Every structure is written in structure tokens, then in C-alpha cells.
Amino acid sequence: MGLLDRAAKRLLEQLHLNVRPQATDVGQGGHRSRARATGLEFADHRMYVPGDDIRHIDWKAFARHRQLLLKTFEEERDIYIYVLLDLSLSMTRGEPPKLDVAKALAAAFAYLGMKQFDRVRVIPFASALGREQAAARSKTGFPQLEKALAGLEPGGVTDFAAATRAFAERHTRRGLVVVVSDLMEASDWGESFRMLGRLGHELWVVRVSCREDERPDFRGELELRDAERGTTVRVRLGAGVLDAYAREVRAHVDRCAEACRKVGGRFVEAPVEQPVDVLLRAVLAPSARAA
Amino acid sequence: MSFLGLPLAAVIGLALSALAAVVALYLLKSTPRPQVVSNVDFWLRAVEQAKPSWIFSRRIPLLAMLLTLAAALLLVLLAGDPRLGDENAATTVVVLDAGRTMAVRNARGERRLDQALDLLGDVVAQSTRRGRVAVIRAGVRPSVLLPMTRDAHELDAAIDGLSTEEGPSDLVAAVALADGVVARRPSGDDARVVVISDRRPETDARRAPMTVLTVGETGRSLAIVALGARRDPTAMGEYGVYCEVRSFAEKAAAARLVIRDRDEVIAEEDLALDPGERVVHRVRGLSSDASEITARLEDVAIDGRSDADELASDDAAYAVIEPLTHTRVLVVSPGEGNRYLEAVLGVNPSISFERVEPGAWDRARAAGFDVVIFDRVLPPGAEGVNHAGAMLVSPPEGPVKLGGAVRDARVTAALASHPVLDEVSLDGVTVRAGRALVTEPEDRALFRAGRDVLATARDTASARRVTLGFALDTGATDLVLHEAFPLMMHNAVVWLANQESLPLSARRPGEPLRLPGRLAIVGLPGGEVRDVRGGAFFDTGVAGIYRVNDRPLAVSGAEVAGPLEVGPATAAPAFAAAEPPISLVVALVLLALLAAEWVLLNRGRV
């Protein structure tokens, strides 16, 4: 069985991925762009200056205002969609594992992009970028991408800053960057988000979470082992420590969300305990419009 | 503090076990379990943030362990039923009723004795936890069933085969015996007496608090309450039987009364009795040299139910008619003789007498008589008084040593245990004129007035002799006018003739039989025969016809039959020591500890 079932695909068929115009590429596609050209969608009037194409002079406006006004049109262009998929070992926690849900979400973004003839890249990362999966510009290539995603194995320690730097060097074209991760690394993710923003990308962060990360029900004397680094720490857990832990995680996630929003991005929570179709609606629906 | 529920050793053992278990559990609890998490950095920050500010919180595992330990120890304490007071051991003496009414069965077929034994087991088990216990069996005569012991298991052997007697239990004597046992307890020990019976004793223990545990329910019965058989004084050789049946049931009852002489039915009657009714059945004109009478109620039905009679032992009664005896008496009396003496001998159908003048006496003639009475005379020579059975009435000086004169002397002391004075009361008897007797070593003073011996009895290997220091006429004594006179004379003749027998009246079950000699052969109702030494036989708990040297003797419980009522129930067995219980205090402390443990460990103060 693939990462997306028929129901999920039917749902995705009804959705359309909206991206801010400034993140569009130069190629012709289905997204509104900031470029004013010979598109079909009327955008605005501006004063005629010599050199402009006189075919776009609005003569009716000239008749009413005695001013030469030029009609401008929006040009619809395609976009690059970069899905940064967290493959660190912390993604193996949860029931179902966070990585399974993250793969499904990445596949969903890829499916939407293919449907809209966008250029989709699924790029796994942990402490560095992994081998990216380039998708065809049509849905015919989706099964191959889905298979490749399913075959990805977890490993390594999360270092999003290093991964982001490598991504910036490798991919210079603007686009939509979707970070699918549990964000369970206590370092500052905000700097990396800001760098992506400065590069002109539109940033979406999908945080895949599980109950164990949010509010575990551990009690008593425990030897906690870090899933990524293998380090251990012995603690005696009571309600006080659990409350403090929940507050720590929440504060970290809130900081990440704030940083994401500051660069104009979207931050979405995706608890693994929820069904995939619910997650897809939660993640995609607010920004998507019906096709 | 003392413990009522468990022995001190058990409490200590349990406490040590609890200590070991709690410590082991906490060691186990403090061993960390491995747990993989996404990132430990968040946990480290959380632990740092949640560091306890209360200094004692750092030691909470230890505190929690101590609290749990204290709670466990308090639970052990509760199980031991702690009491305020010293550690004195307790002596418990249990009086177990084994009388006839304890054989009454209830609707479930359970005897009162069975219920009593269940209670006894509980009492003994409780008592041996803290001290020692003894059990006294209250039958017709109390006896020690279980000597003082600390081992409750010894009770099983003691009550093995225990059964009820067919006579009434003497609870007063049993309680007195219990008092005696209590008196011998070690100084400083607490003591109590527990009576397990179907009624309350008519006395209280004097040396210890007494608790009465009542068992049983009021029962229904049809009973033979009296059975007598005696010879007709007007027709020698004939006898009559008197039998009385009474209903102790609240419903109408019916039965067939069958009276047998040995195996021969001599009377049979169908009876129908209303609640509480008494029916008397008499049989007269029966003739027999000796009889063994058995009266039995057969086919008893109460309210139409054949199984409603709850006590079987009162359905039978026993009596005997002694064989006829004949004693020949020779009275040697001067002049016109002694009319009082001759009258009293004449009315006794078992005695035939002949009077002769002193001059007509000779040894050869006397040899044909069982007893010779010398009234105010003595035969010439000392040999005359050496007859096998001789009675000397106011003898002149001679072979009998006489003391000073006695005038108007009232009898002040009598040897009631002597067969001559059996059932004889000499209260108020006065000797107006006579001589005191000088006793010799083989003589026993029968009665006296102050220091003056008025009558003696001598029992040697070859002869018996009774000597009176006064004449048997109204000028010498008023004894001849008392009802004691014919009885004393009868006893004297029988004793002198060496024909004294066991009392003819039926004895109650459990009462001892007095045997005629130091060695006797006793046949029991079941057919068993025993050689008995010691002059008495005590194993008479079963009613029936006993045989002492082939002489029949009836042991019957008819005269003790009565209603099968149960005494007032005791509210609750007061087994607890006098010290007040502190369980409530311990339980409250326990609750407080558990609450503290919850606050420390379950409210997140880590």
C-alpha cells in the first residue's frame, strides 16, 4: 500500500496549493506571479510611458479621463516546491511513528505539486541534506516518487541549520519550502527560517508531533535515552517534572511557530494520533482553495 | 500494650516480614527503567526547572519508604488487635456443660453440645494466643477435661469422644472448680472464667470475671418425670409401679407408655397429652421376688411429627425391686420385755423376732439367730456378747466398760456416715438417764452428748456390736418417740446381720455407686462388666440397670427430667481483655500516614 490511499488522493484532487506570487518561478504555470505581462488576468492600470506596447492602452479610459492609461495583466507562472523531510531518529517515536506521517504529508505536497505541473523536490535531511527525490511535473511520476519516499530510512541527528545552509547553496531558485519535522531539537530553528525567507522562499512548517513528545505518561525512576544521540540521563519523574517538560516543549514549538510567521510563513501542527485525511485538511485546506 | 488477636511472636514476625517487603519494594522501585525519548535536552531543562525548593523533598523516596513502612507496621499492629495495658498473660478457665440437656438437638439435628464445642474451639484458640487455658467438663460431677495448656491443639484430643451425661450438670460445682483452678494461676496473670452452657449458673465465679455463652434453642419433649416401684407393705411379695409422664411441648403430643419387668411387658398404655399436661400411670398387684422395671415412651409424636421429640434420654426410666430378705432377731429381755423395742421390730416385715428371758438364753439357741439384742441384761460370761451380731441396750457393768451417769443430755454429735445412722436425724433427742460408754480402740462413737459417748459401734473380723448407754423406754430417752427410732433400729439390725445393701432408690445418672466392699463386680447397662476397687463406682453417666455383685441397681434420670429451656443469651462474648482497644487510634494514624504519602508522592512535589 502506498503512502496515500485513494481517499487521500480524492481529497487532494479537490485542493489547490496557493503560493504567494513572489515565490513563483519564471516558467509558465498555474500560480499568480508578481510579473505583469501578457497574461489573461487583468491586474491594474498605469500611466503610459513611451516605449510601452500601445496595444495595451485602454482607449475607453482615455475617452473618459483624457489620459493615456495602460492595462496591465498578471502572468501565471509555475513554482518550485521543496519538501524538507526530517529523517532524524527522533522521527521514529510515536504511535504511529512520526516518520510515517511525515512521509505521507510529503507525498501529499508532491501530489498537489504534480497535479499543478509544479516542480517538486523532496529533500530528506537530518544533520545534512540527503539524496533528493525529483518528481516529474505530472502525476504520472507520483508512484515512483511515492515508492522512493517509502524507502527512505531514518538515521542521524537533527541539524537543521546545516541542512538549511546546504539547501541554500544547492537550490537558488525561489519556491515553496515545506519543512516536515517534529522540531524536537532544542536549538534555535528561527535563524534557519529567517534565512529561507531572505532567499525569497515561502516557508511552510509542518510540525509532526506525538503524545510522547507533548505530554508523556512516564512515572518513577527512569533512564532516558536520546533517540538520536544515544545519550542517557537518569531522572525520577513526578507530576512536577512532567509539567515542566510539557511547558519546555510548548515554549520551543511556540518559538519556532513565531519565527516561521515572522518570515510570512505558515506553521501547522500535525499530531500523529489523528487520521491522515484530517491531517491533510488541517495542513492544506486553510491555504488551498477548491480546484 | 498487649495483643489480643495474635501472639506477640506472630506480631513481631509479621512486622519483620512487612519491613523486608517494603524495603524490597522500594529498592525495586528505585531501580530505573530504560525509556527512549525524542530528545533528552527538554527533559534536562524540565528537571532543572522543577527542582524542589523544599529541602525535605530531596529525600522524598526515603520519606515515602518510611511512611509506607510505618503504614505496613500499623496494619500489622491492627491485625494483632492491640490493647492498652501490660503484657500480663491471661488464664482462661472454660466450663463446658455436658449435662443431659446438652444432648437436645435442634431442627438441623445439631446437639447443643456440638454448638458448645464449636464455641469452645474459638475460645481456646483465642485464649492460647495470650495465655493459658483449661477446660472443665460440667457433668453430674465436674472434672478437668483439658488441663492448663498453651497449646490449642490439645483440645482436639481432649474432646475426642466427649458425650453428654444423662444426669443434670452441676454448674455450681464446676464453677467452684474453675475458681480453684484460677486461684492457682501465676501471680499477676489476668484471669477469666467462661461458661458454655444452655443456662446460666446459679453462681458467679469469685476469683475472676465470668462470662456465660449460651447455646441452643428451647426444645420440645415428652418425658417420664417419675418412676417408682415399691413393695406393698400390706402384702409381702407384691409391688406396685408409679409412672408419671409430662409434656414439655407447646403442641399436643402422643406416645405409648410401655412398662416392662425385665423383658416382660407388665403395662402398656397409649397416652395423649396437651401442652404441659401431666399423666400418672399406676400398676398394682404385681408379684415378683425381685424386679427390674423399665418404663419407656415409644412412638412419640408431637404435633403429628414423629421426629419432634428433641431429647431421647428422658423417654426411658428405670427402677428395681430388691429381693425379699428375712432377718431373725432374738431379744433377751427381763420381765415383761420392752414394748418399744418389740413394736419397732414387729412392724418391719423383713424381721422376725423372738423374746426370751435372760435365764432361757444359751449360746446354741442364739446361734440360730442373725442378731441378738440384750436389753438391760447380759448373758453370763463375756462370750455371750461375742455373737456375730449383738446389740447391747443399757448393759450392766461387766464386759462393757461404763463411765459416769448421764442425765438429761441432748445428743450433740452423731456419726452420720455410719450405716447405723444412715438417713437418721437425732436432732432434739435427749437421754434422760443413762451411762456414758468408755470406748475402746475398735469402737466408734455413734453419737454423744458433749463428751459423753451414748452409743458405739464395733466392727471386727468376727463380729459386729452396737452398744447403747441408755434404755429404750420413755423414762430413759425420748428417742423411742422420734421417727428416727424405727429407722435406726432397722439400720442397726441390717448392719449387725451384715445384710446392709445399697440404697434401693434409683440414683441419678452420674452419681457414684457406693460398693459393699473394697472389691466389687459392676455390670453396666450395655453388658460390660468391670472389676472395681475402692468402694465406689463413678462411671454412671448412662441411665439403666447396673449390677453390683449381681445385685440390680437402677440409675434413672426421670426425676431430673424437665423443660428443655435455654437460659438468657449473652449479648456478646466478652473475650476481649479488660484493657481498652486502641485499634481506632491506630487506624486514624494509618489514614494520616497514607494521606501524607499521597501528598508527598502524588501531587508532583518532586
Side-chain angles (χ1 to χ4, degrees):
Chain A
M1 184 177 170
L3 297 173
L4 297 177
D5 58 14
R6 291 177 187 274
K9 287 176 181 172
R10 274 199 301 275
L11 174 64
L12 292 173
E13 288 294 341
Q14 301 167 18
L15 299 176
H16 185 87
L17 197 58
N18 285 334
V19 183
R20 292 202 315 266
Q22 59 268 34
T24 53
D25 194 31
V26 295
Q28 203 163 20
H31 300 273
R32 292 168 61 192
S33 70
R34 297 175 74 180
R36 298 293 183 256
T38 58
L40 297 178
E41 293 287 329
F42 170 77
D44 203 356
H45 287 97
R46 67 174 174 81
M47 295 300 293
Y48 170 80
V49 294
D52 286 337
D53 189 347
I54 59 172
R55 287 177 298 177
H56 292 158
I57 292 175
D58 189 345
W59 295 110
K60 290 180 181 176
F62 175 77
R64 286 195 297 272
H65 305 293
R66 293 298 174 182
Q67 285 183 330
L68 287 174
L69 296 174
L70 204 66
K71 290 193 287 188
T72 61
F73 297 87
E74 287 183 348
E75 187 176 51
E76 291 187 338
R77 296 180 177 178
D78 62 351
I79 62 168
Y80 276 88
I81 298 176
Y82 306 103
V83 181
L84 294 177
L85 176 62
D86 188 351
L87 276 188
S88 67
L89 285 170
S90 67
M91 294 292 285
T92 58
R93 306 301 301 165
E95 185 60 40
K98 290 180 281 186
L99 184 58
D100 291 355
V101 176
K103 286 178 178 178
L105 290 173
F109 277 103
Y111 189 88
L112 273 178
M114 290 176 175
K115 188 188 78 168
Q116 298 172 184
F117 304 103
D118 294 326
R119 303 168 194 276
V120 179
R121 299 281 188 275
V122 178
I123 308 168
F125 76 93
S127 56
L129 290 186
R131 182 181 173 188
E132 67 183 58
Q133 307 295 325
R137 294 192 64 182
S138 70
K139 290 190 290 186
T140 55
F142 180 75
Q144 186 180 356
L145 176 72
E146 191 177 32
K147 184 178 179 183
L149 280 177
L152 290 176
E153 291 293 332
V157 179
T158 305
D159 188 351
F160 187 66
T164 309
R165 283 194 298 273
F167 171 78
E169 291 170 1
R170 194 183 300 175
H171 300 280
T172 56
R173 289 181 178 275
R174 292 177 299 180
L176 172 64
V177 175
V178 180
V179 179
V180 183
S181 170
D182 58 0
L183 304 181
M184 289 303 287
E185 166 57 42
S187 59
D188 181 16
W189 292 61
E191 182 56 36
S192 301
F193 292 164
R194 284 189 287 276
M195 187 180 79
L196 291 173
R198 284 196 298 271
L199 292 173
H201 296 297
E202 179 173 355
L203 178 63
W204 287 20
V205 176
V206 180
R207 181 187 174 236
V208 183
S209 63
C210 64
R211 193 187 307 278
E212 180 186 300
D213 289 346
E214 295 290 304
R215 181 164 284 279
D217 55 357
F218 306 151
R219 282 296 166 101
E221 292 282 340
L222 293 176
E223 186 179 68
L224 303 179
R225 188 166 65 82
D226 193 301
E228 297 181 1
R229 296 190 292 269
T231 55
T232 60
V233 58
R234 180 173 167 175
V235 295
R236 182 161 45 79
L237 296 184
V241 175
L242 289 174
D243 288 344
Y245 168 81
R247 286 196 301 272
E248 276 294 319
V249 171
R250 180 44 49 192
H252 169 72
V253 172
D254 288 346
R255 283 194 298 273
C256 292
E258 183 62 22
C260 176
R261 291 188 192 101
K262 278 188 175 175
V263 297
R266 288 189 58 226
F267 187 90
V268 185
E269 295 266 9
V272 297
E273 292 79 14
Q274 292 188 3
V276 172
D277 58 331
V278 175
L279 287 178
L280 290 176
R281 287 182 191 280
V283 171
L284 297 170
S287 66
R289 58 177 168 80
Chain B
M1 188 167 64
S2 57
F3 297 96
L4 199 63
L6 293 172
L8 181 61
V11 172
I12 293 174
L14 279 175
L16 291 175
S17 302
L19 175 75
V22 169
V23 171
L25 280 174
Y26 269 80
L27 286 177
L28 200 62
K29 190 176 177 181
S30 61
T31 303
R33 289 173 287 118
Q35 175 64 51
V36 178
V37 294
S38 296
N39 191 299
V40 296
D41 293 340
F42 295 107
W43 288 105
L44 288 173
R45 291 181 188 177
V47 170
E48 188 66 25
Q49 194 182 96
K51 264 188 179 175
S53 55
W54 186 37
I55 188 167
F56 293 109
S57 299
R58 300 171 192 276
R59 300 295 178 200
I60 275 184
L62 182 60
L63 282 175
M65 186 188 76
L66 292 176
L67 286 175
T68 308
L69 187 58
L73 294 180
L74 285 174
L75 279 175
V76 172
L77 208 61
L78 275 178
D81 193 2
R83 305 273 163 165
L84 288 176
D86 56 22
E87 293 283 347
N88 284 352
T91 295
T92 303
V93 182
V94 185
V95 174
L96 175 68
D97 190 348
R100 55 180 288 277
T101 56
M102 295 297 281
V104 174
R105 295 181 182 274
N106 58 18
R108 299 181 299 277
E110 189 179 33
R111 295 180 304 170
R112 292 177 184 175
L113 182 66
D114 299 328
Q115 301 172 26
L117 289 176
D118 290 344
L119 264 180
L120 176 66
D122 295 341
V123 173
V124 169
Q126 289 187 22
S127 302
T128 49
R129 287 178 193 151
R130 197 180 152 213
R132 310 179 307 159
V133 66
V135 180
I136 290 172
R137 178 180 182 275
V140 176
R141 292 181 313 282
S143 59
V144 175
L145 182 66
L146 177 65
M148 198 63 78
T149 181
R150 292 180 183 276
D151 186 0
H153 297 99
E154 290 183 12
L155 178 68
D156 296 334
I159 64 174
D160 185 30
L162 179 69
S163 61
T164 57
E165 293 182 350
E166 295 186 17
S169 56
D170 189 347
L171 284 181
V172 173
V175 170
L177 179 57
D179 254 338
V181 175
V182 166
R184 288 193 290 273
R185 74 186 187 277
S187 62
D189 274 14
D190 297 329
R192 57 179 174 163
V193 173
V194 179
V195 178
I196 305 177
S197 174
D198 55 0
R199 61 196 162 97
R200 187 173 183 84
E202 295 167 350
T203 183
D204 268 330
R206 288 179 292 117
R207 292 189 172 89
M210 188 175 86
T211 303
V212 180
L213 305 180
T214 309
V215 296
E217 304 151 13
T218 297
R220 301 177 294 181
S221 180
L222 203 62
I224 297 174
V225 295
L227 176 67
R230 66 170 187 171
R231 293 201 176 277
D232 188 341
T234 61
M236 291 298 294
E238 292 189 2
Y239 70 94
V241 176
Y242 174 92
C243 184
E244 190 174 327
V245 179
R246 185 174 175 185
S247 169
F248 297 108
E250 75 282 6
K251 302 283 186 181
R256 185 166 64 254
L257 173 65
V258 181
I259 302 175
R260 292 182 175 86
D261 182 354
R262 294 190 175 88
D263 294 331
E264 181 185 355
V265 175
I266 57 175
E268 188 169 3
E269 183 181 359
D270 288 328
L271 306 176
L273 293 90
D274 291 328
E277 185 184 355
R278 185 189 299 261
V279 172
V280 174
H281 186 77
R282 288 187 176 88
V283 185
R284 285 179 176 164
L286 302 167
S287 180
S288 174
D289 176 49
S291 295
E292 298 172 12
I293 308 297
T294 301
R296 194 176 297 278
L297 291 172
E298 298 179 354
D299 300 332
V300 178
I302 298 175
D303 196 23
R305 286 178 51 207
S306 60
D307 60 345
D309 190 312
E310 293 169 345
L311 184 60
S313 65
D314 58 7
D315 292 347
Y318 306 90
V320 297
I321 298 289
E322 287 264 314
L324 286 170
T325 59
H326 189 75
T327 308
R328 292 171 301 163
V329 178
L330 178 65
V331 177
V332 182
S333 180
E336 295 181 353
N338 187 321
R339 59 174 176 163
Y340 295 102
L341 182 58
E342 292 171 17
V344 80
L345 295 175
V347 300
N348 193 328
S350 65
I351 295 175
S352 61
F353 77 96
E354 188 176 328
R355 189 180 77 84
V356 296
E357 289 286 336
W361 178 87
D362 65 66
R363 182 181 297 178
R365 185 175 184 182
F369 290 87
D370 298 310
V371 176
V372 178
I373 299 176
F374 295 99
D375 179 26
R376 293 166 289 163
V377 295
L378 279 179
E383 67 277 10
V385 298
N386 290 334
H387 188 274
M391 184 171 188
L392 312 181
V393 178
S394 187
E397 288 279 2
V400 179
K401 294 180 181 177
L402 299 175
V406 175
R407 300 285 177 193
D408 296 325
R410 184 181 288 265
V411 174
T412 56
L415 185 62
S417 61
H418 197 279
V420 172
L421 298 183
D422 189 25
E423 304 291 335
V424 174
S425 171
L426 296 175
D427 292 343
V429 171
T430 302
V431 173
R432 297 191 178 99
R435 297 282 298 273
L437 302 176
V438 177
T439 57
E440 295 182 28
E442 59 267 32
D443 288 336
R444 300 185 71 186
L446 288 178
F447 53 91
R448 62 176 73 216
R451 291 187 171 184
D452 295 330
V453 175
L454 299 176
T456 61
R458 176 180 294 185
D459 186 5
T460 63
S462 58
R464 286 180 172 181
R465 189 167 84 189
V466 171
T467 306
L468 301 179
F470 53 90
L472 293 175
D473 56 52
T474 53
T477 180
D478 61 359
L479 172 64
V480 294
L481 303 177
H482 278 71
E483 59 185 11
F485 180 54
L487 191 55
M488 186 189 80
M489 287 307 296
H490 172 81
N491 288 347
V493 168
V494 170
W495 183 69
L496 289 170
N498 201 13
Q499 291 175 340
E500 81 268 30
S501 64
L502 298 172
L504 300 181
S505 60
R507 294 181 177 276
R508 295 178 179 182
E511 288 184 349
L513 295 179
R514 194 168 60 202
L515 303 179
R518 293 205 166 273
L519 177 62
I521 299 173
V522 177
L524 276 62
E528 184 185 354
V529 177
R530 297 183 193 172
D531 292 333
V532 181
R533 297 174 186 275
F537 180 68
F538 295 93
D539 195 5
T540 57
V542 178
I545 304 293
Y546 287 71
R547 296 181 185 284
V548 180
N549 295 340
D550 284 336
R551 189 188 183 101
L553 187 76
V555 173
S556 177
E559 62 187 271
V560 298
L564 306 180
E565 292 172 342
V566 174
T570 306
F575 295 144
E579 296 83 11
I582 56 174
S583 302
L584 184 62
V585 177
V586 175
L588 288 175
V589 174
L590 178 62
L591 279 177
L593 284 177
L594 292 176
E597 209 254 359
W598 182 85
V599 168
L600 283 175
L601 281 187
N602 297 294
R603 292 195 63 208
R605 292 194 184 188
V606 180

